[in-house]
Amino acid sequence: MGNGILKRKIGIEKQVDDFLDRLSEAGLLCRNGLDAYLKENMEAFATSLTCIRNTEHRGDDLRRSIEQDIYTKTLIPESRGDVMELLEDMDALLDRFTGLIWQFEIERPDICAEFHESFRELLQYSVEAVEATVRSCRAFFKDIHTVADHIHKVSFWEKESDKVSTRLQRAIFGHGNLHLSHKMHLRFFAKQVDRIADEAEDVADRLNIYVIKRML
Amino acid sequence: MFAFFLSSGLFLGWSLGANDAANVFGTAVGTRMISFRKAAVYCGIFVILGAVISGAGAARTLGELGSVNAIAGAFVVALAAAITVYGLTYLGYPVSTTQAIVGAIIGWSLFAGALIDYVALEKIVLSWVISPVLAGIFSALLYMLIAYSTRHAKINMFNLDSLTRSGLLIAGVAGAYALGANNIANVVGIFVPISPFADLSILGVFRFSGAQQLFFIGAAAIAIGTFTYGKRVMLTVGQGITEMSPVAALVAVLANALVLFLFASQDLERFLLSIGLPAFPLVPVSSSQAIVGSVIGIGLVKGGRGIRWRVLGEIAGAWVVTPLAAILISFISLFFLQNVFQQKTYIPVKYQVTEEAEQRVRAAGIRTTPLGDMIEQTYLSAAEFRKALSQRLKLDSKDMSLVMSAAKIDHMVVTLQAVNRISDRAITDGQKKAVQTLWGKHFTHRWQLEKALADLSPEWRMKPGDKDRNVELRRELDYIHRLIRANMQ
């Protein structure tokens, strides 16, 4: 009886790990996609888009399966609501990465060469923030006392991303040779990338509360 | 008529199931680790198994109600206890069923003019304090230990969930088994000597004695009580006092079991003494009160802010109300049954210092000269006799009870029917033969029967120094006595 339950739980543990792996993977794919876009390697960009869409689908499937298991097997009743919200939040981050690459595909923004590095840097920091969130999330499930260490890093990367975003937007609007519409289009993309880090920080803040609740 | 009398026992069983299942599954259900339905099913199955397998032989099953000497009285006492427990269960308070029964018996003693068992009363009051304090200390210590271990063991949330759930289930079924084994005597034990059930053999492999069949019915009543009405008290224990985590729920159940095992287990005491270790003092611990103490212990470790003191105050009030209400309901119901329905609710016990009784008292080294004017005089109740005795002799409680039992009139004739109905497996052939030899004999005092048996067979003799054997023998004698009394017509 006990073993059966244990086996099922190990299944869920693995699914949670897989789901978080998908989020990490989406961050890396997003970086590859942006890099390919900036290098105008549209074939590599299309591959990244396909990969990230598959990753998103797999992530969605995993999240649904985990949520179903948690509800039908009435697991972790004391933290069920929090874990559900956490999974939804993490899934929203995954969707953001996919959404970003999709927007690049649809709107095809014309990014001037002098902004390439800043865009890369901005996405790098956002991905780092999400990575730190993923690590805190893993810690929440496996070793709750170390969550705070990772959450601290999320804040760090979010601030770094803010700095780059501000700098980039100043540079965009300070550029003399661009139309206002072009500037606004670039600003929109800069903000889209920056929002990923902001959301990662929001998730980390909520996670912090879940940890406190579980420690009580 | 048997079915009618049994009905109050079954109602008591139902109330017990509705209330006491919370002691074993309350925290698990309150923290939503085990659904109520699942808990009720497991609880029901294991209560029945505990009652039928370990409910012990007929000689051991009279329970608390065994002291009530008329079946109609036992009916009312069980009914009064059941009504009390039902009322408090309806309000959602965990109370001790045993205390309700003892209260109802005190009500009967008051009505019948029998001696009130002050020791039992003292035990009830003591258990209100001792049970929660001991359980609270154990649960607090256990909680700190487990919290420390889980922090360092870095157990995955889902693994911890699974381990806790399995732990709660195992502790729950073990507790339900013990609940059935320990409480069935109070539910139907009194009816064993008048049970019409014959032994039943299934395919020649399983043999169910009449007592076991009765236990099965009683245990089924407990199980139905849990299923139909157990949720309310479970939620009070598991959620009402303080919010608990699943680990805390497990700690509470374990602390409860540990306290019962260490401080209420005669088996453990015997074992420790047998290997030359000092035993834990046996103290009156009630599971219903211990589980509440366990929950408070954990609440206090967490800083005490989450404890709902108002609920706790109400629960403590319910504990005091339990025996008092049972006394009152029992007394009033007996009055009605006796005076309105003309039922015999007690057999008046007379006392007389007969010649034989006087010899027995003298043989025990007690001066009988001051009792001169009491000899051959009949006293209509224990209270009356004791009063007369106290006016003439200054006796300590041990000597007092010796004189009381020597003078207690208990006319009985050993009938063939009684001899044929001895069905307890603990009673040996030699013991049975001794009872058969006494067929047709008449006795005035119970001790005369016991003496006659002891004279006939060494197996009916007390062995000095062998406490276990003597306790068992006392139970067997109670069984034979009750059997003879129940089959005199």
Side-chain angles (χ1 to χ4, degrees):
Chain A
M1 170 189 63
N3 278 343
I5 294 174
L6 208 63
K7 261 184 207 160
R8 285 210 304 269
K9 301 288 165 50
I10 289 167
I12 290 184
E13 260 179 75
K14 201 174 166 317
Q15 285 186 63
V16 170
D17 267 339
D18 270 2
F19 173 72
L20 294 174
D21 285 348
R22 297 290 83 79
L23 180 52
S24 288
E25 192 179 293
L28 299 175
L29 286 169
C30 188
R31 257 169 57 188
N32 285 352
L34 179 72
D35 203 42
Y37 182 84
L38 295 176
K39 285 179 181 160
E40 293 179 26
N41 181 352
M42 296 320 279
E43 203 180 322
F45 178 74
T47 312
S48 292
L49 181 61
T50 313
C51 287
I52 205 167
R53 280 177 61 192
N54 289 340
T55 303
E56 191 208 348
H57 287 316
R58 175 80 185 123
D60 280 342
D61 289 345
L62 280 166
R63 178 184 53 78
R64 275 189 216 106
S65 165
I66 296 165
E67 288 181 349
Q68 199 176 348
D69 268 7
I70 289 179
Y71 262 117
T72 53
K73 291 165 192 161
T74 63
L75 304 177
I76 47 167
E78 80 285 19
S79 300
R80 193 183 301 157
D82 294 346
V83 167
M84 292 295 195
E85 264 185 57
L86 185 61
L87 292 175
E88 297 283 350
D89 285 346
M90 297 305 259
D91 195 37
L93 286 175
L94 208 166
D95 289 349
R96 281 236 159 259
F97 282 130
T98 318
L100 184 68
I101 295 298
W102 260 115
Q103 256 160 345
F104 270 102
E105 162 68 17
I106 294 164
E107 299 182 23
R108 303 278 172 132
D110 180 11
I111 301 175
C112 319
E114 61 253 55
F115 301 142
H116 283 192
E117 211 36 55
S118 293
F119 264 101
R120 282 199 186 93
E121 203 183 352
L122 184 58
L123 184 62
Q124 166 71 16
Y125 292 159
S126 288
V127 170
E128 289 291 354
V130 172
E131 260 308 303
T133 311
V134 168
R135 281 195 295 273
S136 2
C137 192
R138 284 190 211 276
F140 178 64
F141 287 107
K142 290 178 182 165
D143 183 8
I144 201 161
H145 296 272
T146 58
V147 173
D149 306 343
H150 302 295
I151 286 181
H152 165 74
K153 290 186 182 80
V154 179
S155 298
F156 173 79
W157 291 118
E158 194 274 335
K159 280 191 195 86
E160 290 302 305
S161 143
D162 270 353
K163 282 183 209 162
V164 177
S165 166
T166 313
R167 194 180 71 213
L168 177 60
Q169 286 180 65
R170 277 187 208 282
I172 290 168
F173 283 97
H175 200 288
N177 299 334
L178 296 176
H179 280 291
L180 181 62
S181 58
H182 192 178
K183 287 176 183 175
M184 287 177 79
H185 197 206
L186 291 181
R187 193 264 316 262
F188 168 77
F189 273 89
K191 288 204 108 177
Q192 284 295 95
V193 180
D194 185 34
R195 259 178 75 178
I196 297 174
D198 287 345
E199 270 187 31
E201 196 186 32
D202 291 345
V203 176
D205 286 344
R206 282 196 286 274
L207 183 58
N208 210 10
I209 301 294
Y210 305 154
V211 172
I212 294 168
K213 275 166 76 178
R214 232 185 122 74
M215 304 273 261
L216 279 178
Chain B
M1 206 58 185
F2 171 77
F4 175 74
F5 285 131
L6 185 63
S7 67
S8 84
L10 297 184
F11 179 30
L12 179 62
W14 181 86
S15 307
L16 188 143
N19 199 290
D20 287 28
N23 305 348
V24 284
F25 274 113
T27 57
V29 172
T31 51
R32 290 173 295 159
M33 284 300 269
I34 298 176
S35 69
F36 169 71
R37 180 184 283 267
K38 192 174 174 187
V41 168
Y42 274 103
C43 190
I45 292 171
F46 281 87
V47 158
I48 292 175
L49 288 177
V52 176
I53 298 169
S54 300
R60 288 189 215 108
T61 54
L62 287 173
E64 321 275 350
L65 284 168
S67 54
V68 180
N69 67 8
I71 198 75
F75 167 83
V76 172
V77 168
L79 188 69
I83 292 171
T84 307
V85 175
Y86 167 71
L88 293 163
T89 304
Y90 176 76
L91 297 172
Y93 298 126
V95 295
S96 163
T97 311
T98 307
Q99 291 180 3
I101 296 170
V102 173
I105 291 171
I106 292 171
W108 176 85
S109 301
L110 284 171
F111 185 76
L115 291 180
I116 293 173
D117 190 351
Y118 288 103
V119 178
L121 208 58
E122 196 185 304
K123 270 188 187 172
I124 291 182
V125 176
L126 270 176
S127 90
W128 292 340
V129 183
I130 289 177
S131 311
V133 168
L134 275 178
I137 293 169
F138 270 76
S139 74
L141 292 175
L142 208 60
Y143 185 76
M144 287 193 275
L145 184 77
I146 290 186
Y148 179 83
S149 317
T150 47
R151 197 159 44 236
H152 286 79
K154 293 178 186 171
I155 304 172
N156 185 292
M157 184 190 289
F158 291 104
N159 263 342
L160 185 64
D161 180 77
S162 152
L163 290 170
T164 314
R165 200 176 294 253
S166 305
L168 280 167
L169 200 59
I170 292 167
V173 296
Y177 189 91
L179 184 73
N182 297 334
N183 287 285
I184 194 68
N186 279 327
V187 175
V188 291
I190 187 79
F191 305 103
V192 171
I194 57 159
S195 157
F197 296 119
D199 286 5
L200 195 73
S201 176
I202 298 174
L203 305 170
V205 183
F206 300 105
R207 191 173 154 270
F208 289 104
S209 66
Q212 278 175 321
Q213 292 167 49
L214 201 57
F215 293 167
F216 178 80
I217 296 171
I222 300 178
I224 293 169
T226 307
F227 208 87
T228 52
Y229 218 69
K231 197 169 182 178
R232 206 180 283 234
V233 181
M234 282 193 190
L235 292 183
T236 302
V237 171
Q239 289 179 344
I241 302 170
T242 181
E243 288 290 330
M244 280 207 287
S245 66
V247 173
L250 179 62
V251 169
V253 182
L254 291 179
N256 188 22
L258 200 61
V259 166
L260 286 178
F261 179 66
L262 292 181
F263 295 95
S265 163
Q266 288 178 342
D267 290 336
L268 179 73
E269 185 197 34
R270 232 171 279 150
F271 171 73
L272 289 175
L273 290 175
S274 73
I275 55 168
L277 287 173
F280 289 90
L282 289 186
V283 289
V285 183
S286 152
S287 177
S288 306
Q289 278 134 25
I291 191 72
V292 172
S294 300
V295 173
I296 302 169
I298 294 165
L300 288 175
V301 168
K302 288 177 171 179
R305 284 184 301 276
I307 299 177
R308 297 184 189 97
W309 295 103
R310 196 177 61 83
V311 176
L312 216 53
E314 287 169 6
I315 291 174
W319 290 350
V320 180
V321 164
T322 307
L324 296 180
I327 291 174
L328 201 70
I329 297 171
S330 168
F331 192 92
I332 295 171
S333 315
L334 285 163
F335 181 83
F336 269 95
L337 198 68
Q338 178 123 329
N339 296 304
V340 179
F341 298 100
Q342 306 293 314
Q343 289 290 318
K344 202 174 183 183
T345 53
Y346 65 94
I347 298 164
V349 179
K350 292 178 190 158
Y351 286 77
Q352 194 181 51
V353 185
T354 55
E355 207 174 303
E356 297 89 350
E358 196 258 348
Q359 278 171 13
R360 185 174 167 81
V361 172
R362 195 152 19 96
I366 299 168
R367 277 188 317 122
T368 53
T369 340
L371 305 179
D373 63 324
M374 283 177 79
I375 288 172
E376 299 301 334
Q377 196 174 328
T378 305
Y379 294 86
L380 295 176
S381 74
E384 210 179 294
F385 180 68
R386 194 159 75 161
K387 198 175 157 200
L389 206 58
S390 313
Q391 283 165 355
R392 288 164 179 82
L393 270 177
K394 275 241 168 296
L395 294 170
D396 61 22
S397 61
K398 194 175 153 228
D399 285 347
M400 176 66 87
S401 84
L402 192 139
V403 179
M404 297 282 296
S405 72
K408 188 174 174 183
I409 297 291
D410 196 353
H411 288 291
M412 57 190 139
V413 183
V414 182
T415 59
L416 195 59
Q417 205 185 355
V419 172
N420 288 338
R421 288 191 76 159
I422 300 174
S423 61
D424 189 78
R425 287 175 215 167
I427 292 174
T428 63
D429 288 343
Q431 286 174 311
K432 257 186 223 173
K433 215 174 148 206
V435 181
Q436 275 165 358
T437 317
L438 295 177
W439 174 45
K441 283 242 180 201
H442 172 270
F443 298 97
T444 312
H445 303 287
R446 175 175 162 164
W447 59 265
Q448 287 178 312
L449 167 75
E450 291 175 7
K451 189 169 172 294
L453 285 173
D455 289 344
L456 283 168
S457 162
E459 287 176 276
W460 279 119
R461 282 177 214 152
M462 295 281 173
K463 288 194 181 123
D466 192 347
K467 195 177 149 196
D468 287 355
R469 171 67 200 136
N470 293 344
V471 169
E472 176 60 23
L473 192 63
R474 176 60 40 214
R475 286 184 186 131
E476 289 170 8
L477 283 167
D478 281 344
Y479 170 69
I480 292 292
H481 174 247
R482 189 160 282 269
L483 206 60
I484 291 172
R485 286 209 63 95
N487 292 286
M488 264 166 38
Q489 288 81 30

